[in-house]
Amino acid sequence: MVIRTGVSWFVGAVIVACVVLLGSSTQGGDPAPAPTKPLPTESARAAVPNRVMTWNICNPCNKEGVRNEDRAADIAALAPQVVGMQEACVRDVEEIRDRLRSRHGLVYHVEYGSVLRNRGRCGGMPWSPGAFGQAILSAAPMKDRVNVEYPDGGSEDRGYLAVTTTVDGESVRVFNTHFAQRRQEAVRAKQAGVLAAEVARHDRAIVIGDFNAVPEAYELGRMWAVAKDADPRCRPSGDGACRVTTDWQSKYDYVFLRGVTPRKSQVRPSDNSDHHMFYADLTVG
């Protein structure tokens, strides 16, 4: 009995010791693996803080081989703080925005001013066609978004998108619009009246867009009454000093300014639209 008891005691002691040793080696589980290195962060690139651009990206467009990655490259070459696009499908804008971030390091917020749904232009299913209209990309956050359809769009629904964002370090109201096309002067005049009345409510405003009218056209009179174009040579006198912004040698695209001073402006042609990119560097405040 004594021997058995001793053996039992010895075996028990060994078991206890093993449990203790095992417990100490496994307490808290297996050793934590070495921390993984974080994924490389995207190389962010700063937009030009006082640069604003307007561009009708042409949809539908008769140009062959137009790709959103090429449109993104065109925008990235100028890196504006604010980009206003017209004839824009939501899907196209999303792809352009993604390409600007992934390939060019430019990060933009987006707001949409869609005025119709059109499967022929924007794809989608017959019961859920893509949204079409205006869009604004801004390197700074946007607020107080308003999307307005004109009471009379003419042959196609048209409207304007307005947001408040930061340009040149200052808060400013930005409008993006697309007026009625072709021989619809009376319709454009009504649209200009609606837009100009809203612009006049602000001490500082930037109005970008495709107005489908040359500077001397009577229908732009209401706009010229409340704002001036960022191109200092361009006035409603019809003297031919305005830079053309389209493939058909007309000035249709404007950066109208109210309470904002232009520093320089430029037109940059693109193979990816029948409209050129028109941009301006501004002093706000």
Side-chain angles (χ1 to χ4, degrees), residues 13-277:
V14 171
I15 292 173
V16 171
C18 289
V19 170
V20 172
L21 289 172
L22 288 173
S24 63
S25 65
T26 60
Q27 188 172 3
D30 293 333
T36 57
K37 293 182 179 180
L39 294 175
T41 56
E42 192 170 23
S43 177
R45 174 183 166 200
V48 180
N50 65 334
R51 180 167 294 171
V52 171
M53 187 180 94
T54 184
W55 194 20
N56 183 322
I57 62 174
C58 186
N59 187 336
C61 194
N62 295 325
K63 291 178 175 286
E64 294 183 0
V66 174
R67 303 180 303 172
N68 287 328
E69 60 186 89
D70 297 326
R71 289 168 169 160
D74 283 342
I75 295 171
L78 301 174
Q81 175 80 357
V82 172
V83 185
M85 289 181 277
Q86 304 86 42
E87 294 191 16
C89 295
V90 169
R91 289 183 178 90
D92 287 333
V93 174
E94 283 300 313
E95 185 176 354
I96 291 169
R97 183 186 178 210
D98 289 345
R99 297 281 184 171
L100 283 165
R101 179 177 186 130
S102 62
R103 295 199 172 186
H104 305 282
L106 288 164
V107 180
Y108 286 102
H109 304 267
V110 63
E111 290 289 355
Y112 294 100
S114 301
V115 292
L116 58 89
R117 293 188 174 275
N118 189 304
R119 182 170 179 259
R121 287 182 171 181
C122 299
M125 304 304 292
W127 57 87
S128 182
F132 177 83
Q134 287 73 248
I136 293 177
L137 299 181
S138 174
M142 293 174 276
K143 62 181 181 179
D144 302 328
R145 170 190 173 275
V146 173
N147 186 36
V148 175
E149 288 192 39
Y150 293 122
D152 186 356
S155 58
E156 182 179 84
D157 293 345
R158 295 291 164 92
Y160 72 80
L161 168 66
V163 301
T164 299
T165 189
T166 302
V167 177
D168 193 31
E170 300 288 340
S171 179
V172 63
R173 194 68 171 163
V174 176
F175 296 80
N176 182 18
T177 193
H178 190 189
F179 279 8
Q181 61 182 339
R182 298 192 181 101
R183 298 178 182 88
Q184 301 180 81
E185 293 85 355
V187 174
R188 288 195 294 273
K190 294 176 183 177
Q191 293 170 350
V194 171
L195 180 59
E198 183 61 27
V199 172
R201 296 179 59 247
H202 301 272
D203 294 331
R204 295 191 305 210
I206 300 169
V207 188
I208 54 185
D210 174 5
F211 289 78
N212 270 315
V214 295
E216 62 270 23
Y218 86 90
E219 61 262 36
L220 289 189
R222 292 288 300 275
M223 287 305 306
W224 287 114
V226 299
K228 60 184 179 181
D229 190 45
D231 181 353
R233 302 179 303 175
C234 190
R235 295 293 177 264
S237 57
D239 58 7
C242 301
R243 300 183 184 98
V244 299
T245 64
T246 65
D247 285 354
W248 54 94
Q249 300 300 304
S250 293
K251 162 80 169 178
Y252 275 9
D253 305 273
Y254 298 80
V255 177
F256 280 116
L257 306 174
R258 178 177 174 85
V260 177
T261 304
R263 296 174 62 181
K264 71 173 184 178
S265 61
Q266 190 64 50
V267 173
R268 180 173 176 138
S270 170
D271 292 332
N272 300 302
S273 176
D274 56 0
H275 286 250
H276 307 333
M277 296 175 287

